[in-house]
Amino acid sequence: MSASPKTPKETIDFGFETVRTEDKQGRVKQVFDSVARDYDRMNDAMSVGLHRVWKDMAITTLNPQPGERLLDVAGGTGDIARRFIKAADTVRDRRGGETASAVILDINDEMLLAGIDPKKDAGLSLSRVCANAQILPFEDAQFDVVTIAYGIRNVTDRLAALREFHRVLKPGGRLGVLEFSTPPEPLIRKFYDAYSFAVIPRLGQAIAGDRDSYQYLVESIRKFPKQAQFVALIEEAGFAKVGWTDYSAGVTAFHTGWKIT
């Protein structure tokens, strides 16, 4: 007897709130419309600058090479794309080869606009696309690397997005997902929870004039799957050799996978 097809869920989490599935994307857009202007300043304040270290570590793991093409999803600020190209160009300076390039994709046009910086972008092969991670506007096998940093938990259908990432990767391509996670050590987790709920929404109010968006941020992290659960989802999307590395005792984690064929 064949299994019956899965029907779409009618409701989904939006932080600790339950909303209709079709409403989540719009609610997330409202959040990022609100925080776009102060996004970088808030990242520095919330993580005490550590988000820059985590991104550097992720890029080192990805090991960008000359001529590679990156798709950075939910990459409105351009942080990952710029790091990727510069790392690849460092290798090119030693060995030769072509210049690496990157496409920055974000569903939120305000984030894309906020991320444009002519000085930082100068000399880099960058393009920007406003589109949905669940329906990527690219042909199959177009990219060597796909990344998404602190964006996958905001995607309504994460499995659909991961399958799209797999589709647009070339055979042998690699995936990198950097996301806030669950510290495995109970004492660290207790401290992290206390800091998150007591401090981050207040920082949001003080710096961005927006407590509610950062309250959602804290809640959305708690609703995101634990590391091993997310590994299983990446594998379900078709990736092989999937694993993760905890950064800062598991406050954030970098998940990786490969498209074999």
mmCIF file of all heavy atoms in Angstrom, residues 84-109:
data_model
loop_
_atom_site.group_PDB
_atom_site.id
_atom_site.type_symbol
_atom_site.label_atom_id
_atom_site.label_comp_id
_atom_site.label_asym_id
_atom_site.label_seq_id
_atom_site.Cartn_x
_atom_site.Cartn_y
_atom_site.Cartn_z
ATOM 1 N N PHE A 84 33.680 35.502 0.968
ATOM 2 C CA PHE A 84 33.934 34.374 0.068
ATOM 3 C C PHE A 84 34.836 34.805 -1.087
ATOM 4 O O PHE A 84 35.850 34.155 -1.381
ATOM 5 C CB PHE A 84 32.611 33.833 -0.464
ATOM 6 C CG PHE A 84 32.750 32.600 -1.316
ATOM 7 C CD1 PHE A 84 32.651 31.343 -0.742
ATOM 8 C CD2 PHE A 84 32.974 32.693 -2.680
ATOM 9 C CE1 PHE A 84 32.781 30.201 -1.520
ATOM 10 C CE2 PHE A 84 33.107 31.560 -3.466
ATOM 11 C CZ PHE A 84 33.006 30.301 -2.884
ATOM 12 N N ILE A 85 34.486 35.884 -1.759
ATOM 13 C CA ILE A 85 35.264 36.335 -2.914
ATOM 14 C C ILE A 85 36.678 36.725 -2.492
ATOM 15 O O ILE A 85 37.666 36.377 -3.163
ATOM 16 C CB ILE A 85 34.554 37.507 -3.615
ATOM 17 C CG1 ILE A 85 33.236 37.041 -4.241
ATOM 18 C CG2 ILE A 85 35.458 38.120 -4.678
ATOM 19 C CD1 ILE A 85 32.393 38.164 -4.824
ATOM 20 N N LYS A 86 36.806 37.435 -1.392
ATOM 21 C CA LYS A 86 38.130 37.866 -0.947
ATOM 22 C C LYS A 86 39.009 36.675 -0.585
ATOM 23 O O LYS A 86 40.223 36.660 -0.867
ATOM 24 C CB LYS A 86 37.998 38.823 0.236
ATOM 25 C CG LYS A 86 37.445 40.194 -0.169
ATOM 26 C CD LYS A 86 37.252 41.093 1.040
ATOM 27 C CE LYS A 86 36.693 42.450 0.619
ATOM 28 N NZ LYS A 86 36.457 43.326 1.792
ATOM 29 N N ALA A 87 38.418 35.642 0.043
ATOM 30 C CA ALA A 87 39.192 34.439 0.384
ATOM 31 C C ALA A 87 39.638 33.710 -0.872
ATOM 32 O O ALA A 87 40.781 33.233 -0.962
ATOM 33 C CB ALA A 87 38.356 33.513 1.271
ATOM 34 N N ALA A 88 38.736 33.620 -1.862
ATOM 35 C CA ALA A 88 39.091 32.971 -3.128
ATOM 36 C C ALA A 88 40.178 33.760 -3.852
ATOM 37 O O ALA A 88 41.095 33.177 -4.455
ATOM 38 C CB ALA A 88 37.859 32.833 -4.009
ATOM 39 N N ASP A 89 40.095 35.084 -3.795
ATOM 40 C CA ASP A 89 41.089 35.917 -4.472
ATOM 41 C C ASP A 89 42.455 35.812 -3.803
ATOM 42 O O ASP A 89 43.496 35.966 -4.473
ATOM 43 C CB ASP A 89 40.626 37.375 -4.500
ATOM 44 C CG ASP A 89 39.537 37.611 -5.546
ATOM 45 O OD1 ASP A 89 39.270 36.684 -6.343
ATOM 46 O OD2 ASP A 89 38.949 38.715 -5.551
ATOM 47 N N THR A 90 42.476 35.556 -2.505
ATOM 48 C CA THR A 90 43.755 35.340 -1.816
ATOM 49 C C THR A 90 44.448 34.100 -2.369
ATOM 50 O O THR A 90 45.670 34.093 -2.585
ATOM 51 C CB THR A 90 43.533 35.191 -0.302
ATOM 52 O OG1 THR A 90 42.971 36.400 0.215
ATOM 53 C CG2 THR A 90 44.838 34.906 0.421
ATOM 54 N N VAL A 91 43.669 33.052 -2.607
ATOM 55 C CA VAL A 91 44.223 31.831 -3.214
ATOM 56 C C VAL A 91 44.662 32.116 -4.646
ATOM 57 O O VAL A 91 45.728 31.669 -5.093
ATOM 58 C CB VAL A 91 43.185 30.692 -3.183
ATOM 59 C CG1 VAL A 91 43.740 29.442 -3.854
ATOM 60 C CG2 VAL A 91 42.768 30.388 -1.754
ATOM 61 N N ARG A 92 43.851 32.880 -5.379
ATOM 62 C CA ARG A 92 44.181 33.215 -6.770
ATOM 63 C C ARG A 92 45.491 33.979 -6.863
ATOM 64 O O ARG A 92 46.286 33.783 -7.792
ATOM 65 C CB ARG A 92 43.054 34.041 -7.377
ATOM 66 C CG ARG A 92 43.226 34.303 -8.872
ATOM 67 C CD ARG A 92 42.297 35.385 -9.338
ATOM 68 N NE ARG A 92 42.579 36.650 -8.668
ATOM 69 C CZ ARG A 92 41.955 37.784 -8.917
ATOM 70 N NH1 ARG A 92 40.986 37.826 -9.814
ATOM 71 N NH2 ARG A 92 42.252 38.883 -8.267
ATOM 72 N N ASP A 93 45.748 34.864 -5.901
ATOM 73 C CA ASP A 93 46.984 35.638 -5.911
ATOM 74 C C ASP A 93 48.214 34.737 -5.805
ATOM 75 O O ASP A 93 49.296 35.073 -6.311
ATOM 76 C CB ASP A 93 46.987 36.646 -4.757
ATOM 77 C CG ASP A 93 45.980 37.775 -4.960
ATOM 78 O OD1 ASP A 93 45.528 37.950 -6.107
ATOM 79 O OD2 ASP A 93 45.639 38.442 -3.976
ATOM 80 N N ARG A 94 48.045 33.576 -5.153
ATOM 81 C CA ARG A 94 49.174 32.639 -5.009
ATOM 82 C C ARG A 94 49.278 31.690 -6.191
ATOM 83 O O ARG A 94 50.371 31.373 -6.648
ATOM 84 C CB ARG A 94 49.015 31.811 -3.725
ATOM 85 C CG ARG A 94 49.057 32.599 -2.432
ATOM 86 C CD ARG A 94 49.300 31.674 -1.243
ATOM 87 N NE ARG A 94 48.369 30.564 -1.208
ATOM 88 C CZ ARG A 94 47.208 30.569 -0.542
ATOM 89 N NH1 ARG A 94 46.849 31.648 0.131
ATOM 90 N NH2 ARG A 94 46.419 29.503 -0.542
ATOM 91 N N ARG A 95 48.126 31.210 -6.687
ATOM 92 C CA ARG A 95 48.119 30.129 -7.665
ATOM 93 C C ARG A 95 47.660 30.542 -9.049
ATOM 94 O O ARG A 95 47.806 29.793 -10.014
ATOM 95 C CB ARG A 95 47.175 29.013 -7.186
ATOM 96 C CG ARG A 95 47.630 28.265 -5.977
ATOM 97 C CD ARG A 95 46.903 26.954 -5.844
ATOM 98 N NE ARG A 95 45.556 26.970 -6.402
ATOM 99 C CZ ARG A 95 44.481 26.499 -5.768
ATOM 100 N NH1 ARG A 95 44.604 26.034 -4.550
ATOM 101 N NH2 ARG A 95 43.301 26.502 -6.348
ATOM 102 N N GLY A 96 47.028 31.717 -9.160
ATOM 103 C CA GLY A 96 46.434 32.117 -10.425
ATOM 104 C C GLY A 96 45.022 31.579 -10.549
ATOM 105 O O GLY A 96 44.501 30.912 -9.652
ATOM 106 N N GLY A 97 44.385 31.860 -11.664
ATOM 107 C CA GLY A 97 43.016 31.410 -11.880
ATOM 108 C C GLY A 97 42.077 32.578 -12.079
ATOM 109 O O GLY A 97 42.494 33.744 -12.100
ATOM 110 N N GLU A 98 40.795 32.267 -12.193
ATOM 111 C CA GLU A 98 39.788 33.277 -12.454
ATOM 112 C C GLU A 98 39.264 33.886 -11.153
ATOM 113 O O GLU A 98 39.382 33.304 -10.079
ATOM 114 C CB GLU A 98 38.626 32.660 -13.233
ATOM 115 C CG GLU A 98 39.016 32.119 -14.598
ATOM 116 C CD GLU A 98 37.834 31.526 -15.335
ATOM 117 O OE1 GLU A 98 36.704 31.578 -14.794
ATOM 118 O OE2 GLU A 98 38.035 31.000 -16.441
ATOM 119 N N THR A 99 38.648 35.033 -11.282
ATOM 120 C CA THR A 99 38.046 35.698 -10.133
ATOM 121 C C THR A 99 36.766 34.979 -9.718
ATOM 122 O O THR A 99 35.965 34.583 -10.560
ATOM 123 C CB THR A 99 37.706 37.157 -10.475
ATOM 124 O OG1 THR A 99 38.901 37.839 -10.871
ATOM 125 C CG2 THR A 99 37.095 37.873 -9.282
ATOM 126 N N ALA A 100 36.586 34.788 -8.425
ATOM 127 C CA ALA A 100 35.345 34.217 -7.909
ATOM 128 C C ALA A 100 34.225 35.240 -8.001
ATOM 129 O O ALA A 100 34.462 36.451 -8.093
ATOM 130 C CB ALA A 100 35.527 33.775 -6.458
ATOM 131 N N SER A 101 32.982 34.751 -7.973
ATOM 132 C CA SER A 101 31.829 35.646 -8.053
ATOM 133 C C SER A 101 30.754 35.170 -7.089
ATOM 134 O O SER A 101 30.784 34.031 -6.608
ATOM 135 C CB SER A 101 31.267 35.679 -9.479
ATOM 136 O OG SER A 101 30.805 34.396 -9.865
ATOM 137 N N ALA A 102 29.796 36.037 -6.820
ATOM 138 C CA ALA A 102 28.727 35.693 -5.882
ATOM 139 C C ALA A 102 27.423 36.363 -6.276
ATOM 140 O O ALA A 102 27.422 37.503 -6.745
ATOM 141 C CB ALA A 102 29.105 36.101 -4.460
ATOM 142 N N VAL A 103 26.345 35.633 -6.067
ATOM 143 C CA VAL A 103 25.001 36.178 -6.183
ATOM 144 C C VAL A 103 24.428 36.268 -4.776
ATOM 145 O O VAL A 103 24.391 35.270 -4.041
ATOM 146 C CB VAL A 103 24.094 35.291 -7.060
ATOM 147 C CG1 VAL A 103 22.670 35.852 -7.088
ATOM 148 C CG2 VAL A 103 24.655 35.164 -8.472
ATOM 149 N N ILE A 104 24.012 37.458 -4.392
ATOM 150 C CA ILE A 104 23.374 37.672 -3.092
ATOM 151 C C ILE A 104 21.869 37.647 -3.315
ATOM 152 O O ILE A 104 21.334 38.477 -4.049
ATOM 153 C CB ILE A 104 23.799 39.012 -2.477
ATOM 154 C CG1 ILE A 104 25.313 39.063 -2.288
ATOM 155 C CG2 ILE A 104 23.085 39.254 -1.152
ATOM 156 C CD1 ILE A 104 25.841 40.448 -1.938
ATOM 157 N N LEU A 105 21.193 36.707 -2.697
ATOM 158 C CA LEU A 105 19.743 36.565 -2.864
ATOM 159 C C LEU A 105 19.050 36.801 -1.533
ATOM 160 O O LEU A 105 19.482 36.288 -0.494
ATOM 161 C CB LEU A 105 19.419 35.169 -3.401
ATOM 162 C CG LEU A 105 17.935 34.861 -3.679
ATOM 163 C CD1 LEU A 105 17.801 34.003 -4.944
ATOM 164 C CD2 LEU A 105 17.271 34.157 -2.508
ATOM 165 N N ASP A 106 17.990 37.586 -1.567
ATOM 166 C CA ASP A 106 17.210 37.830 -0.362
ATOM 167 C C ASP A 106 15.758 38.065 -0.767
ATOM 168 O O ASP A 106 15.492 38.674 -1.814
ATOM 169 C CB ASP A 106 17.749 39.051 0.395
ATOM 170 C CG ASP A 106 17.411 39.011 1.880
ATOM 171 O OD1 ASP A 106 16.211 39.053 2.215
ATOM 172 O OD2 ASP A 106 18.342 38.937 2.700
ATOM 173 N N ILE A 107 14.832 37.580 0.033
ATOM 174 C CA ILE A 107 13.418 37.785 -0.258
ATOM 175 C C ILE A 107 12.975 39.205 0.086
ATOM 176 O O ILE A 107 11.939 39.674 -0.379
ATOM 177 C CB ILE A 107 12.558 36.756 0.509
ATOM 178 C CG1 ILE A 107 11.149 36.688 -0.084
ATOM 179 C CG2 ILE A 107 12.547 37.062 2.003
ATOM 180 C CD1 ILE A 107 10.314 35.540 0.461
ATOM 181 N N ASN A 108 13.807 39.875 0.875
ATOM 182 C CA ASN A 108 13.452 41.195 1.377
ATOM 183 C C ASN A 108 14.246 42.285 0.652
ATOM 184 O O ASN A 108 15.469 42.379 0.794
ATOM 185 C CB ASN A 108 13.710 41.260 2.889
ATOM 186 C CG ASN A 108 13.164 42.517 3.506
ATOM 187 O OD1 ASN A 108 13.757 43.565 3.364
ATOM 188 N ND2 ASN A 108 12.036 42.420 4.181
ATOM 189 N N ASP A 109 13.555 43.115 -0.116
ATOM 190 C CA ASP A 109 14.253 44.144 -0.885
ATOM 191 C C ASP A 109 14.924 45.184 0.008
ATOM 192 O O ASP A 109 15.967 45.739 -0.343
ATOM 193 C CB ASP A 109 13.306 44.815 -1.884
ATOM 194 C CG ASP A 109 12.011 45.319 -1.246
ATOM 195 O OD1 ASP A 109 11.796 45.082 -0.040
ATOM 196 O OD2 ASP A 109 11.212 45.942 -1.963
#
